Amino acid sequence: MSLQQGNPSAPGNNDRFSSAGFILAAIGSSVGLGNMWKFPYITGEHGGAAFFLLFIICLIIIGLPVLLAELAIGRAGRGSAATAYVKAGGPKAFAPFGLLQVIAPFIILSFYVIIAGWTLHYAVLSFSGKLFSDSNFSAQFSAFTGGYMPLIWQLIALALTGFVVARGISGGIEKFNKIIIPGLIVLLIVLMIRAVTLPGAEAGISFFLNPDFSKLSAEAALVALGHAFFSLSLGMGILLTYGAYVDKRQSLGSATLAIGAGDLIYAFIAGLIIFPTTASFGIAPDTGPSLVFIALPAAFSAMPLGAFFGGLFFVLLAFAALTSTVSLLEVPVSYVMERFGWGRTKSVVVVTISLLLVGLPSILSFGMVPWLDNIAGKSFFDWLDFITSNILLPIGGLVTTIFAGYYWKGAAEAAGLKSGWFKVWIFTMRYIAPVLMLLVLLHTSGIIKFE
Ligand code: PFF
């Protein structure tokens, strides 16, 4: 591997995505744990199908235009996320906001990879049948997360991620997604068929697909928009970084549509797995770890061939998580290569070791070190999730819309849209998206509240 391989700032570097490889890698980044453990819960809380409709609207009207902007800025800058705005021709004042979009995915990865490790552990536990030998899933989960085993699984997840990223863009990230995504699709279909054919599944399907518009509210709209951003991996420097590896001839408009469609279909099928399963076993479509690692194992344990389907489910989650962790890791790695002129492998090693250190308090906040479990009402892990998803992510989105809408002279050429579509896009960037992003930020940071 050459020392400069994959360094977007290195002169003459040609490590680029192929057209299909890029779309798959971006879908891989968007498809993640969020669709499986945040999406069902917030959908359940905000009226089921009506909320899903709102999510689709937010994704199309705001998510896709911002996605296109990030990719176009990334491709125009051909640098890391930190320098993308300035290298694309923007004022120096944008530089700190670029750097913020390197720090944010680094922090996200420090805790996201812990959960990726849990999913690997649960896949093994499920296939071996051990998970189902004791029906107290809550106690099993606490015993596991409060012990030292998560450290080992986090290390495995991080090593896998680092290995892929160290192999570069076309030979690593692209190849990995080309192998994993077809597997992910097969698993999704198998698990969806299993879920919708469970006895009593209809109640879950109808909750997910029959809209109750009375539950819609301004709050639901902001939650839907925030989740569309999280789910598309926006505002986190990921698409700025991936954009730098996209060929000049690639149509960003059609890539954006394909990525949006991929994420939407995944969210839809995730809903068709979670809602029928939880309805069939009379459990709440809860959020986060308690849904995935406690409620669903209870459901799997009660169905025929449960260990097999449970195992498949955790492999699905692990696949979805790892295609996201590679995209998260590429952001700081590309920054370090650009900033210090290091080779890819050295950068991966340094960033990965730093991640282990930064992730340590998160992993210890599940019971090993009691005070980390409750810092002003949240665990260390929850604080990192809160700050990154609710504050840094909307700031990242806001900066992109303001940059593309007001400060970017090269926008028309870089976005490559036909004149009519360009007008719609730039109007969204100037007048709609920044206002809505600001509202999301004020809402998620708790400054505005709805009763
Ligand atoms: N989009 C992925 C998910 O929904 O899980 C991964 C992800 C990327 C999450 C970036 C959050 C984020 F800020």
Side-chain angles (χ1 to χ4, degrees):
M1 194 179 301
S2 93
L3 217 63
Q4 298 285 14
Q5 190 187 17
N7 182 347
S9 64
N13 174 14
N14 284 317
D15 192 12
R16 299 256 189 277
F17 283 122
S18 73
S19 172
F22 155 63
I23 292 170
L24 280 183
I27 291 178
S29 171
S30 71
V31 158
L33 294 167
N35 302 63
M36 210 48 103
W37 81 14
K38 279 197 177 166
F39 180 69
Y41 174 72
I42 53 178
T43 305
E45 219 183 16
H46 296 282
F51 180 84
F52 187 50
L53 221 64
L54 263 184
F55 172 72
I56 298 177
I57 293 170
C58 291
L59 195 113
I60 294 173
I61 296 187
I62 310 293
L64 296 190
V66 176
L67 173 61
L68 173 65
E70 289 200 3
L71 290 175
I73 296 166
R75 183 165 72 176
R78 287 258 184 259
S80 74
T83 54
Y85 297 111
V86 176
K87 282 191 173 169
K92 288 245 168 11
F94 278 89
F97 295 105
L99 190 60
L100 203 64
Q101 291 189 59
V102 173
I103 297 168
F106 178 83
I107 299 175
I108 292 187
L109 186 53
S110 79
F111 65 84
Y112 200 92
V113 76
I114 297 174
I115 319 291
W118 293 359
T119 61
L120 290 170
H121 170 72
Y122 266 70
V124 173
L125 218 59
S126 202
F127 279 129
S128 72
K130 270 205 188 121
L131 181 61
F132 305 108
S133 60
D134 168 7
S135 61
N136 191 342
F137 297 104
S138 174
Q140 275 199 65
F141 177 67
S142 309
F144 164 63
T145 54
Y148 66 90
M149 281 303 279
L151 267 170
I152 295 171
W153 286 102
Q154 173 212 27
L155 213 63
I156 294 173
L158 209 48
L160 278 169
T161 307
F163 177 75
V164 172
V165 173
R167 297 184 71 86
I169 299 302
S170 53
I173 298 179
E174 173 170 332
K175 224 182 207 168
F176 181 68
N177 277 284
K178 277 187 171 160
I179 298 168
I180 295 293
I181 301 237
L184 199 131
I185 294 171
V186 172
L187 288 173
L188 271 177
I189 294 172
V190 171
L191 287 163
M192 179 185 74
I193 294 172
R194 171 64 286 197
V196 297
T197 52
L198 285 168
E202 302 78 27
I205 300 174
S206 105
F207 175 74
F208 184 46
L209 298 181
N210 285 333
D212 171 3
F213 290 105
S214 69
K215 288 235 179 104
L216 286 188
S217 59
E219 167 160 18
L222 292 185
V223 172
L225 184 56
H227 189 68
F229 262 67
F230 186 91
S231 164
L232 286 173
S233 299
L234 298 176
M236 289 290 160
I238 294 175
L239 295 150
L240 292 174
T241 305
Y242 271 10
Y245 303 115
V246 174
D247 194 86
K248 267 206 310 283
R249 287 157 300 181
Q250 166 95 43
S251 153
L252 292 184
S254 39
T256 298
L257 289 180
I259 298 163
D263 189 45
L264 197 59
I265 292 169
Y266 181 76
F268 179 69
I269 300 183
L272 282 181
I273 293 174
I274 302 288
F275 289 111
T277 309
T278 48
S280 172
F281 293 95
I283 48 181
D286 223 334
T287 183
S290 53
L291 167 73
V292 172
F293 298 100
I294 299 170
L296 288 180
F300 287 122
S301 77
M303 67 174 75
L305 292 177
F308 172 70
F309 285 110
L312 290 188
F313 176 75
F314 286 111
V315 172
L316 167 74
L317 277 187
F319 279 3
L322 290 172
T323 52
S324 295
T325 55
V326 295
S327 73
L328 286 161
L329 181 60
E330 179 59 28
V331 182
V333 164
S334 106
Y335 169 70
V336 166
M337 290 194 311
E338 178 187 67
R339 176 76 180 74
F340 301 108
W342 294 347
R344 179 170 279 276
T345 309
K346 178 176 173 185
S347 307
V348 167
V349 171
V350 171
V351 174
T352 306
I353 292 173
S354 324
L355 276 165
L356 278 176
L357 298 176
V358 173
L360 209 57
S362 290
I363 222 166
L364 297 177
S365 73
F366 288 94
M368 286 266 247
V369 179
W371 67 266
L372 284 171
D373 208 0
N374 191 347
I375 308 168
K378 280 190 207 302
S379 71
F380 187 84
F381 177 99
D382 287 339
W383 271 115
L384 291 191
D385 182 22
F386 175 81
I387 293 167
T388 48
S389 316
N390 293 352
I391 297 174
L392 299 184
L393 185 149
I395 291 179
L398 188 60
V399 170
T400 292
T401 58
I402 291 176
F403 175 73
Y406 294 97
Y407 289 93
W408 197 18
K409 292 193 187 70
E413 197 195 331
L417 294 172
K418 294 210 176 82
S419 132
W421 280 115
F422 178 73
K423 281 190 187 133
V424 174
W425 179 70
I426 203 78
F427 183 84
T428 309
M429 287 294 118
R430 280 197 185 143
Y431 306 111
I432 304 178
V435 177
L436 291 176
M437 286 320 297
L438 192 64
L439 284 175
V440 168
L441 179 62
L442 293 175
H443 177 245
T444 52
S445 59
I447 295 172
I448 51 171
K449 283 197 172 71
F450 300 93
E451 285 316 314

